[in-house]
Amino acid sequence: MKRVGVDHKIAEANGYEVRVDSNGVEYAVKKGAITPLNEVPGECGSSFVYFTAVDTSKHYTSIYTGYTIRSDWPGAVYTNWAVGVIDNYGSSTKTWNDPSTPTHFWAKTKGFTSSGPGWAYADVFLGSIATLSNGTICYSHGPSASAYL
């Protein structure tokens, strides 16, 4: 079977709302549900964050984040990036400040260990930027992710 769309009336009648992902594809979720958006497009390109549980017995996860600059734009020469993590035990920030040769793709990984079991959420801060070789500053639209640790 292949998914071809969402019937809005049936979704609404059964307590669902229809949303659209970053690729323009409709999907249904329970009303009020939080659904992270791992990749968010923008004028310069797109930014992303993925939060993957690595060892749930130790409450450890991996944060993979970055961006892609449009191929018809100049590459980035500097990145100032931050991902905030919130769980039941507090919050922390993971940062990157990277000069580079002009690049159209930048990605980094850092680990995160929670103090105990539960859901954790990661968001790229809206102030995260990539500075292009022509001086243009591109900022992230704040993708987010979650994992149970």
Side-chain angles (χ1 to χ4, degrees):
M1 295 184 73
K2 181 179 178 181
R3 190 175 85 81
V4 294
V6 178
D7 185 310
H8 290 244
K9 287 182 182 177
I10 291 176
E12 177 74 24
N14 289 288
Y16 289 84
E17 62 183 331
V18 178
R19 297 184 185 170
V20 179
D21 70 14
S22 61
N23 296 316
V25 177
E26 290 184 329
Y27 63 100
V29 297
K30 280 286 191 189
K31 286 185 180 176
I34 297 173
T35 55
L37 195 52
N38 297 95
E39 186 171 342
V40 179
E43 181 184 3
C44 300
S46 61
S47 57
F48 59 87
V49 64
Y50 293 91
F51 204 41
T52 305
V54 175
D55 186 341
T56 55
S57 67
K58 295 181 181 175
H59 318 297
Y60 179 75
T61 189
S62 173
I63 302 165
Y64 177 67
T65 187
Y67 58 80
T68 301
I69 302 294
R70 289 176 34 166
S71 61
D72 58 334
W73 285 41
V77 294
Y78 183 74
T79 303
N80 186 351
W81 209 254
V83 174
V85 180
I86 298 173
D87 64 11
N88 293 334
Y89 308 92
S91 62
S92 65
T93 303
K94 307 297 183 184
T95 60
W96 296 265
N97 293 297
D98 289 339
S100 63
T101 56
T103 184
H104 285 84
F105 179 78
W106 177 89
K108 298 290 180 176
T109 303
K110 283 193 179 180
F112 170 76
T113 302
S114 179
S115 295
W119 283 96
Y121 303 90
D123 297 288
V124 174
F125 288 171
L126 293 176
S128 296
I129 63 166
T131 304
L132 308 187
S133 62
N134 68 355
T136 299
I137 298 171
C138 298
Y139 67 93
S140 173
H141 284 290
S144 61
S146 63
Y148 186 83
L149 307 177

